Amino acid sequence: MRKLKWKRSLGALTVVSSLFLAGCQSTSESEENTEDGPVEITYSIWDPVQLPGMKAAAEAFNEQEENITVNVEVTPWGQYWTKLESSAKGGNMPDIFWMHSNEIAKYSEGDVLMDLSEVIESDEEMDLSLFPDELTEQYTDGEQMLGIPKDYSTIGLWYNKDLFDEAGIDYPDETWTWDTLLENAMKLTDEEAGVYGFLAPLNREEGYHNFIYQNGGEVLSEDKKESGFRDPATIEAVQWYVDLSMKYGVSPTAGEFADNSNMSYFQSGRAAMALFGSWMTAEIASNEESNEFADVAVMPKGKNRATIFNGLANSISANTKHPEAAIKFLKFLSSEEGMRIQGQEGGAIPALKGADSSFVEAYPQFNTEIFLEEMEYREIKPYSKFTTRWENVENDTLIPAFTGEKTVEEVSEQLANNVEAILEVE
């Protein structure tokens, strides 16, 4: 088994850790951590689309374990983190729960999460080399492993086959470039019918961040001390993306996206192409119309091939009253059996190498194999300690560019300064 390698530390977040310390104690200090008799543990998630997969995994585990029952609870994303933070303060977090790259730095402090290092090291069947390296790093703090990768995601170019057929245009494939995308988006845009060739909302992970990396730019420097928005390649890529609506009119404007989401445009047949993450496959399949007319291709190529890549992890509360049961369930979720059950329900791509094919098998109507192929040129979703803070700043500062009031270059210096002020605090 590959030994753990700890490559970075998330550092101390004094303000955040103070929120948690009062309500937390280490597992070893708890007097209630005994496994006498049947126990029930809670598994907390935020995505109802993935509920069938998570319930199926829990049910399979429950059948195998006579004295352990796992209850899966769903809290919508908007309330999930508020609820989790509140439960961390009170020392009554769920036993096991999902963790996101945007939040791991906050929860790495104050003994909130169980250190899984010894769990992994002592399990001969647990091989971290079978998980994407970037994700194992992402959920590592110093020498502590605070989450085991659950899934991964990449971004695909989804398209409406009916609109392509009507226009007599070949479907997107690996030969497509930015120029091919724009050329065909212009042909597919039909103002009278209210159909756009491509959807370019103010969206990072499913939008312009992909084009930044395809153009050789960056969002953050490798040491996470500088913004990439002083890089001409970054500015050029974002401006090209903005021009899809502001200059070429092949995409709705920012104002139009305020009234309709990119998914509503696509599923209603008012857009020929759009970027969606692999996690949105279930939603596209659940709609009767888009299930029939949609398919997906690899991202168009810029100077480089690139797609934003990310993934969730399963973490355990350091204060769980049932550590042995929680660890057993975590191991099951991380096993090939648990991963395949997750993938077969089609909610997300399993993070375990080999088990990810189960996601592809769940959608024979779509070319979802491309999501796995794109891992060859993946770029981890930009993150730092205070990811959400600088993401909000980036979003707000770019609004004038997306509304046509300013160019990306005109807002880039302010954007870089504002982001770097946050990075400096880190």
Side-chain angles (χ1 to χ4, degrees), residues 98-255:
W98 284 0
M99 183 51 59
H100 192 279
S101 60
N102 283 12
E103 301 288 334
I104 183 61
K106 177 189 294 185
Y107 288 88
S108 68
E109 295 298 310
D111 294 327
V112 174
L113 305 180
M114 180 185 291
D115 179 8
L116 303 171
S117 306
E118 291 185 11
V119 172
I120 297 168
E121 290 282 8
S122 63
D123 188 338
E124 294 182 359
E125 296 182 6
M126 183 76 71
D127 185 356
L128 285 187
S129 70
L130 297 178
F131 297 90
D133 287 346
E134 300 94 327
L135 295 185
T136 57
E137 281 189 42
Q138 202 168 52
Y139 296 104
T140 297
D141 179 15
E143 295 189 351
Q144 295 187 358
M145 188 72 183
L146 301 178
I148 296 180
K150 169 195 166 292
D151 59 44
Y152 71 76
S153 61
T154 56
I155 313 300
L157 177 63
W158 287 87
Y159 58 94
N160 184 317
K161 293 183 291 185
D162 292 346
L163 294 177
F164 271 76
D165 291 342
E166 291 169 12
I169 299 173
D170 292 337
Y171 300 152
D173 59 25
E174 69 279 355
T175 67
W176 273 41
T177 64
W178 289 12
D179 290 339
T180 318
L181 177 68
L182 177 56
E183 176 187 343
N184 287 299
M186 293 177 74
K187 292 177 182 177
L188 290 159
T189 298
D190 186 339
E191 233 178 285
E192 288 187 12
V195 174
Y196 289 97
F198 184 75
L199 300 176
L202 177 46
N203 188 308
R204 294 174 300 276
E205 188 171 359
E206 294 176 294
Y208 64 88
H209 275 190
N210 296 276
F211 294 100
I212 288 174
Y213 289 105
Q214 289 173 10
N215 203 42
E218 60 182 6
V219 178
L220 297 179
S221 61
E222 190 172 347
D223 62 8
K224 305 183 190 301
K225 293 183 178 180
E226 297 179 356
S227 165
F229 273 81
R230 290 193 179 86
D231 186 339
T234 298
I235 295 170
E236 179 184 46
V238 182
Q239 188 61 61
W240 182 86
Y241 182 84
V242 168
D243 285 346
L244 294 172
S245 58
M246 290 293 96
K247 180 178 180 179
Y248 300 108
V250 301
S251 168
T253 63

Side-chain angles (χ1 to χ4, degrees), residues 335-336 339-340 343-344 349-359:
S335 70
E336 183 170 1
M339 286 280 173
R340 284 196 174 278
Q344 286 164 1
I349 304 174
L352 184 70
K353 186 177 181 181
D356 49 7
S357 61
S358 60
F359 177 83

Side-chain angles (χ1 to χ4, degrees), residues 34 113 117 127 154 203 216 219-220 232 279 283 301 337 397-398 415:
T34 58
L113 305 180
S117 306
D127 185 356
T154 56
N203 188 308
V219 178
L220 297 179
W279 66 90
E283 185 166 346
K301 182 182 179 182
E337 181 183 359
T397 312
L398 280 174
L415 193 161

Side-chain angles (χ1 to χ4, degrees), residues 77-102:
W77 172 269
Q79 293 83 49
Y80 181 89
W81 298 106
T82 301
K83 182 177 179 181
L84 193 63
E85 182 172 323
S86 176
S87 65
K89 292 177 185 178
N92 59 346
M93 298 177 80
D95 300 282
I96 182 168
F97 47 90
W98 284 0
M99 183 51 59
H100 192 279
S101 60
N102 283 12

Side-chain angles (χ1 to χ4, degrees), residues 147-418:
I148 296 180
K150 169 195 166 292
D151 59 44
Y152 71 76
S153 61
T154 56
I155 313 300
L157 177 63
W158 287 87
Y159 58 94
N160 184 317
K161 293 183 291 185
D162 292 346
L163 294 177
F164 271 76
D165 291 342
E166 291 169 12
I169 299 173
D170 292 337
Y171 300 152
D173 59 25
E174 69 279 355
T175 67
W176 273 41
T177 64
W178 289 12
D179 290 339
T180 318
L181 177 68
L182 177 56
E183 176 187 343
N184 287 299
M186 293 177 74
K187 292 177 182 177
L188 290 159
T189 298
D190 186 339
E191 233 178 285
E192 288 187 12
V195 174
Y196 289 97
F198 184 75
L199 300 176
L202 177 46
N203 188 308
R204 294 174 300 276
E205 188 171 359
E206 294 176 294
Y208 64 88
H209 275 190
N210 296 276
F211 294 100
I212 288 174
Y213 289 105
Q214 289 173 10
N215 203 42
E218 60 182 6
V219 178
L220 297 179
S221 61
E222 190 172 347
D223 62 8
K224 305 183 190 301
K225 293 183 178 180
E226 297 179 356
S227 165
F229 273 81
R230 290 193 179 86
D231 186 339
T234 298
I235 295 170
E236 179 184 46
V238 182
Q239 188 61 61
W240 182 86
Y241 182 84
V242 168
D243 285 346
L244 294 172
S245 58
M246 290 293 96
K247 180 178 180 179
Y248 300 108
V250 301
S251 168
T253 63
E256 290 171 315
F257 278 121
D259 298 324
N260 295 274
S261 70
N262 51 342
M263 183 58 79
S264 67
Y265 269 110
F266 186 73
Q267 289 186 325
S268 63
R270 292 178 291 155
M273 293 180 282
L275 300 186
F276 291 115
S278 51
W279 66 90
M280 297 302 290
T281 305
E283 185 166 346
I284 293 171
S286 67
N287 179 280
E288 186 176 345
E289 293 184 3
S290 58
N291 185 57
E292 291 295 325
F293 69 61
D295 207 352
V296 61
V298 296
M299 296 280 287
K301 182 182 179 182
K303 294 176 183 175
N304 312 301
R305 287 201 179 280
T307 175
I308 297 296
F309 147 74
N310 196 26
L312 308 183
N314 286 309
S315 296
I316 296 178
S317 167
N319 204 37
T320 175
K321 296 177 182 178
H322 307 294
E324 292 177 18
I327 289 170
K328 276 189 177 181
F329 183 51
L330 178 63
K331 287 182 177 181
F332 179 80
L333 289 173
S334 306
S335 70
E336 183 170 1
E337 181 183 359
M339 286 280 173
R340 284 196 174 278
I341 291 173
Q342 173 190 191
Q344 286 164 1
E345 293 295 333
I349 304 174
L352 184 70
K353 186 177 181 181
D356 49 7
S357 61
S358 60
F359 177 83
V360 176
E361 295 162 5
Y363 297 105
Q365 71 273 44
F366 302 139
N367 184 29
T368 50
E369 179 72 30
I370 67 99
F371 290 121
L372 280 59
E373 295 171 357
E374 288 185 325
M375 288 292 281
E376 294 181 9
Y377 43 85
R378 63 189 185 261
E379 292 285 347
I380 191 68
K381 179 181 178 290
Y383 69 92
S384 67
K385 295 175 190 173
F386 301 145
T387 304
T388 303
R389 292 189 191 180
W390 63 256
E391 280 186 341
N392 290 337
V393 165
E394 182 180 307
N395 185 85
D396 293 345
T397 312
L398 280 174
I399 289 175
F402 275 80
T403 58
E405 299 169 56
K406 295 183 179 180
T407 66
V408 175
E409 186 172 13
E410 287 172 336
V411 302
S412 61
E413 186 66 23
Q414 178 189 355
L415 193 161
N417 287 336
N418 292 344

